[in-house]
Amino acid sequence: MSFIVCHSMCYAYAIGMIENLKGKINFGRFYIIAPENACSGGSDWTLFTEVWQYGSNLDQPNPDIVGKQDGVAPQCECSGISNTYIKTKTGRVFIPNGAAKGFGTSHSVGNYKWIFNRTQQQSGYVKTRN
């Protein structure tokens, strides 16, 4: 089973790669960190066992202030990610309070270590490989 982890513009590359590999491999989990132009395209999320998007809450009710948002890749939802499975398998996970947030900070992949601290009961839990 193959897993994909992407950050920023690699989201677009990952979508293209998925299209070329569809039907040739079995997809496992897809972890998308601070994707750029996420709402411009997506994939068939049912190909994966889980799909999680991590990033800022720009397009949500009560978003963080602009200075705490991702200024490199303003966040929008990966097309269709919230409507594929129940919330235990796909969705968005926003940068929590207490984690590093800022115009550039919210985009830096080095500031996403918090995703590894999520518990199995939380959306976006990163499972270890067997």
Side-chain angles (χ1 to χ4, degrees), residues 24-84:
K24 298 174 186 165
I25 65 169
N26 292 323
F27 293 105
R29 295 179 210 95
F30 188 11
Y31 299 114
I32 307 163
I33 302 169
E36 190 169 335
N37 294 321
C39 48
S40 296
S43 187
D44 177 2
W45 303 129
T46 63
L47 294 170
F48 295 87
T49 57
E50 293 185 34
V51 182
W52 296 105
Q53 175 184 348
Y54 305 92
S56 296
N57 61 355
L58 178 64
D59 60 349
Q60 300 299 297
N62 303 310
D64 287 328
I65 62 170
V66 172
K68 302 273 184 182
Q69 295 288 337
D70 184 336
V72 178
Q75 299 297 290
C76 58
E77 181 177 304
C78 294
S79 297
I81 197 172
S82 292
N83 302 324
T84 303

Side-chain angles (χ1 to χ4, degrees), residues 3-24:
F3 302 90
I4 300 174
V5 178
C6 69
H7 171 253
S8 194
M9 198 59 199
C10 280
Y11 172 71
Y13 291 107
I15 296 302
M17 186 175 69
I18 292 163
E19 290 303 310
N20 283 307
L21 294 174
K22 216 186 289 187
K24 298 174 186 165

